Amino acid sequence: MNNLKVYLLIITLIPAMGLTSVTVPLMTKPSLAQTENLQIEELDKLIEQALRKSQQGQPLESIETLRQALEMARQFNDKKLEATVLVGIGFNYANIGQPQKALDYYNQALPISQEISDRAGVATTLNGIGAVYHSIGQPQKALDYYNQALSISREISDRFGEVTILSNLALSYQTQGNMAQAIQFYQQAIELKESIQSEIQVEEFNASFSRQQEDNYERLIKLLWDQGDFQAALNYVERTKARAFLNQLANSRIDFRAGADHKLLEQEQALKTEIITLRQHLITLRNRPRNQWDTDTIAKTENQLASREKDDQDLLLQIKIQNPETANLITVDVASLSEIKELIDTDTTLVEYFVTEKRTLAFIITKNSFQTVTLNATREQLTEEIIRFRELADIDKIHPLELQNLHDWLIKPLQPYLNTTKIAIVPHSILHYLPFAALTDGNRYLNDDYALFTLPSASILRYLPEKRKPKTNSLLAIGDARVPGLFPLNFAQQEVQTIAKLFNTQPLLGENATETRFWSKAPQSEILHLAVHCEYNTNTPQFSAIRLAGDTENDGRLEIHEIYGLDLTKTTNLVVLSGCQTNIGKLSQGDELVGFNRAFIYAGTPTVIASLWNVDDATTGKLMERFYTHWQAGMSKAEALQQAQIEVRKDYPHPYFWAGFSLIGDGGR
């Protein structure tokens, strides 16, 4: 396997085993140097397939593939690989609740690793055995095996393995009711994990590694909460939220392509050309009448496109790894409670949520106070209500029952502490998809009484002031970019023309709304207003795109990974994404929501306004016109959006029409 694949496998393959996590050893093949290349390649593919199947929740398929790899390893007489594959099979059996079969394979692997003095293999196998005993209710046996594994991992400085073993020890003590020991071991695991994370300098790897340890954070946060140590619980909540993004903001901007190997850049360009060709072919296929669609060819082309996009994503990572400036990137600590208090305005209350399986935790912070409330809302309940509302089954009910229930769960218990005019909300998990402005007690909506804005984490507050620039009232308004295969946005033209008049400028419309013009004009504009199509790529979120018109220089796809290279540090104070679902991203367990809003904040703007669903074209135009009018008149951005939503609501009362946009980042003037 090449080095990039090795690194990816190290940090991505730590799925659940029983009730906790185990580290599956990297399946390297040090003794295969003299075998035939074709055999090596075949074994490579088998192992990689098994790892991916395990990651994707297909343990039985992974076992079958590993059996083939095991046969080949024995043919090559590669003892280390044989033991590693045996552990992989055992791991998968444990993962599907067959502990005896898991123990059988672990016990085959253990003497082999001991015979060849593979101490890392011994530690991994002992840890796996411990996890099996934990899963079948024999905690003391589990502790014995974990402690043996921990001792070896520390002796050989296997920090990845040590993190997992510490986590397993913590869970074992927690299961036995020894909460003090559990807290201690969870803290040790997290400290070590974050130490490793600080050395993973590429943000994509950083986020991926962080996601694997999220169970530790949640368990520790709940234990600290139950012990009444709320300040420590808040610290770990912040440490689990948007850490890769926080580290991005803390570092100076890097052009990762500068000085990159020219061969890699040539490969990247060739891949991009192939991707563009495949996309154009898909458009042609889909533009045919439905009854003439060649579904097999469409599916084949879609699969080819997804594969090439994944290759391009891997290549981007490789380019970043090789950039010498990558080694100089820093990792920062989250903001303390006292720092968060200092960063909050006197007229703002910050509410930070943390959703767990059986309850939701709320931290309420003002300039001079800190309160906590346990909310009786489970993850499942919140998910069901939010999804049910977003289905918009009954557009006639202007105070939907789902939003009333969510208000009762998330807001009503906090109301004694909500005594300011503005609320900064730090959502978590499914709450990223909730329009907080539309939460209602059945008579009044939340934004009747408060101007709202959201933040990825409270710690982001320390980086927003430096992104604010003097007002220039310069506007770049782009609307209804003509893109082959996408329907026209007729109301978008009217929207941007109306807004452009407020700023005495001309919008870019239709064929003139090109990506090339965007790149040239955006850095000199205080406001970027984009009323265009957006599309979200669920397989590779970094390739989600804002759709502009193409020309000879650019293809018209302004993709998320490209936005990270945009320089908005000199003039830009606001980006408005008046397209469909621009605030929607891929929500991972680690709360790293990959979306347009974070990309634009990284690029330099302090504020993004984006949509939570496919918004109504006609009402969006009115909402935006009222927002800009109030902002120009001196309101803060959060207050201007609040007032615009209230005014649109008078004519279009259902939240679908007025609550679809949220403000992310700086809500001030």
Side-chain angles (χ1 to χ4, degrees), residues 169-337:
L169 279 163
L171 182 58
S172 190
Y173 280 116
Q174 183 179 352
T175 303
Q176 294 180 60
N178 190 338
M179 301 310 175
Q181 283 285 81
I183 289 173
Q184 179 183 338
F185 278 106
Y186 280 132
Q187 289 174 327
Q188 288 182 36
I190 288 171
E191 290 295 333
L192 183 56
K193 169 257 179 186
E194 291 182 352
S195 173
I196 297 170
Q197 192 176 353
S198 69
E199 299 168 16
I200 302 175
Q201 303 291 13
V202 178
E203 68 271 13
E204 289 90 342
F205 289 154
N206 201 312
S208 178
F209 177 62
S210 180
R211 285 194 292 271
Q212 298 159 11
Q213 305 298 326
E214 291 311 308
D215 285 347
N216 289 340
Y217 284 95
E218 181 171 329
R219 290 170 183 148
L220 177 57
I221 289 163
K222 290 191 291 186
L223 286 175
L224 291 169
W225 183 279
D226 290 339
Q227 302 260 332
D229 194 348
F230 301 117
Q231 189 167 331
L234 174 65
N235 177 264
Y236 283 101
V237 167
E238 277 291 293
R239 285 162 76 164
T240 193
K241 285 186 177 181
R243 285 306 301 276
F245 183 57
L246 186 65
N247 290 334
Q248 285 177 303
L249 293 179
N251 284 280
S252 58
R253 298 166 56 82
I254 294 177
D255 180 0
F256 285 102
R257 289 179 176 81
D261 186 302
H262 73 278
K263 291 184 178 179
L264 291 179
L265 295 177
E266 288 174 359
Q267 289 178 40
E268 183 187 24
Q269 187 56 51
L271 265 175
K272 288 189 180 303
T273 300
E274 188 175 358
I275 287 169
I276 289 170
T277 301
L278 287 167
R279 285 173 178 157
Q280 291 173 338
H281 185 44
L282 264 181
I283 290 171
T284 302
L285 292 171
R286 290 170 175 163
N287 277 346
R288 296 172 181 170
R290 274 282 203 182
N291 59 2
Q292 296 179 23
W293 272 24
D294 184 344
T295 54
D296 289 341
T297 302
I298 289 174
K300 182 179 179 182
T301 307
E302 287 174 338
N303 290 335
Q304 288 176 328
L305 178 58
S307 175
R308 296 302 179 271
E309 286 175 339
K310 182 64 171 63
D311 290 342
D312 197 11
Q313 183 177 353
D314 290 347
L315 194 57
L316 282 170
L317 294 179
Q318 203 163 350
I319 290 170
K320 289 185 178 184
I321 292 169
Q322 292 190 357
N323 189 297
E325 292 189 60
T326 299
N328 298 322
L329 296 177
I330 63 171
T331 298
V332 295
D333 291 329
V334 299
S336 64
L337 175 60

